[in-house]
Amino acid sequence: MQINIAHLYPDLLNIYGDKGNVTAFIKRCTWRNIDVKVHEIGINDKINPELYDFYFIGGGQDQQQIAVSHELQKQKTPLHEAMDSGAVFLAICGGYQLFGHYYRPHDGEELKGISLLDAYTIAGNTRYIGNVTVLSDLPLNNTNTLTGFENHSGLTYLEGETKPIGSVIIGNGNNGKDKSEGAYKKNVFGTYLHGSLLPKNPHFTDYLIKLSLERNYGQVNLAEINDEFEWLAHNRAVKRKY
Ligand code: GLN
């Protein structure tokens, strides 16, 4: 079986090592002999929605988000076609904000999003920085906790059929008010969790791999792999108090 990954704008949105999410995704595929190829998508590259099963976009400062926001407007149609075809997306922080309707930073222009998620973001007066533990509602194996690190001033609010990936028990999450963290709609997942997220959350990585395979192969069951160290890291991180 094969998975084709589109890594969106890695030279602009890769803050806090978010590229580690792609590395973890690839590793957990190759350890199962799943053939996986990564295609880096840069500014002015055309996206053919038929080619990719999994899309990743990382986080970044407001400056980089401006460039990517303008570029994403040109890619709105193929990315919506990809979403409607069952492709899987993972968007982290700054990339997550641009997958909503808009991100309104403190200064400068309001950045248009591409509305893959029914969400909007407005810069707040506090920068939320610290560890986050989430109780997820997603159908994950082993446990429903997700753990990561947040660093954002944007406050994200969900609407319509978009649901949070879970509720925060440590940290602030989407906006520090309604206890929600992240968002998903169809197979599009957004979150504020840096870390990077996937290496310490093998169950979420496997969930994304499973969804990415099912787009082309129907129902699949992933082979068990030895991920003792990933779970040691997850369980240690989940116990952090702030
Ligand atoms: N610039 C955005 C904010 O501060 C996103 C930051 C990030 O990607 N970590 O909210």
Side-chain angles (χ1 to χ4, degrees):
M1 295 190 284
Q2 179 174 12
I3 294 178
N4 284 301
I5 300 174
H7 186 173
L8 303 178
Y9 316 111
D11 54 334
L12 287 166
L13 293 181
N14 179 36
I15 202 166
Y16 312 124
D18 284 338
K19 188 171 186 176
N21 291 295
V22 177
T23 305
F25 187 101
I26 291 170
K27 279 291 178 193
R28 292 186 74 80
C29 285
T30 50
W31 289 336
R32 293 177 167 110
N33 298 318
I34 297 167
D35 182 25
V36 56
K37 289 188 175 42
V38 191
H39 309 264
E40 293 196 347
I41 305 291
I43 298 291
N44 296 324
D45 286 349
K46 279 186 74 59
I47 294 175
N48 176 348
E50 291 172 13
L51 297 182
Y52 308 112
D53 309 295
F54 177 68
Y55 295 75
F56 177 77
I57 187 168
Q61 302 299 357
D62 291 13
Q63 198 55 41
Q64 286 74 30
Q65 286 179 282
I66 293 169
V68 174
S69 161
H70 294 156
E71 178 67 15
L72 281 175
Q73 292 310 308
K74 296 184 273 182
Q75 309 285 9
K76 189 171 179 178
T77 300
L79 290 175
H80 273 262
E81 287 170 4
M83 175 177 73
D84 294 341
S85 75
V88 181
F89 293 74
L90 178 63
I92 308 289
C93 202
Y96 165 35
Q97 294 170 342
L98 296 179
F99 273 21
H101 301 316
Y102 61 82
Y103 167 48
R104 190 177 297 155
H106 271 299
D107 311 309
E109 64 179 292
E110 178 175 285
L111 305 185
K112 283 180 79 174
I114 54 172
S115 302
L116 289 176
L117 295 167
D118 304 307
Y120 61 92
T121 301
I122 298 169
N125 298 318
T126 308
R127 177 158 285 274
Y128 291 141
I129 300 176
N131 296 307
V132 182
T133 298
V134 173
L135 288 182
S136 178
D137 309 321
L138 298 173
L140 305 175
N141 291 332
N142 286 0
T143 177
N144 67 341
T145 51
L146 290 170
T147 182
F149 183 86
E150 65 183 336
N151 183 333
H152 59 101
S153 66
L155 306 175
T156 297
Y157 300 91
L158 310 185
E159 51 189 25
E161 61 189 88
T162 294
K163 300 280 180 280
I165 62 171
S167 50
V168 286
I169 50 175
I170 294 172
N172 298 282
N174 279 331
N175 51 53
K177 299 182 184 69
D178 63 14
K179 292 288 182 199
S180 70
E181 162 46 29
Y184 73 97
K185 178 181 173 185
K186 297 184 180 177
N187 285 340
V188 179
F189 299 88
T191 177
Y192 274 112
L193 299 187
H194 293 287
S196 43
L197 171 68
L198 295 184
K200 285 199 291 294
N201 296 280
H203 51 332
F204 190 37
T205 313
D206 286 353
Y207 180 57
L208 298 175
I209 292 170
K210 182 173 163 62
L211 290 174
S212 301
L213 287 170
E214 288 180 349
R215 177 171 181 262
N216 292 315
Y217 303 103
Q219 176 77 24
V220 299
N221 291 309
L222 296 181
E224 289 295 316
I225 51 179
N226 176 357
D227 44 21
E228 174 195 352
F229 288 111
E230 291 88 329
W231 284 109
L232 272 175
H234 178 90
N235 295 330
R236 172 74 63 89
V238 160
K239 292 190 177 74
R240 284 178 303 202
K241 288 284 173 271
Y242 49 82

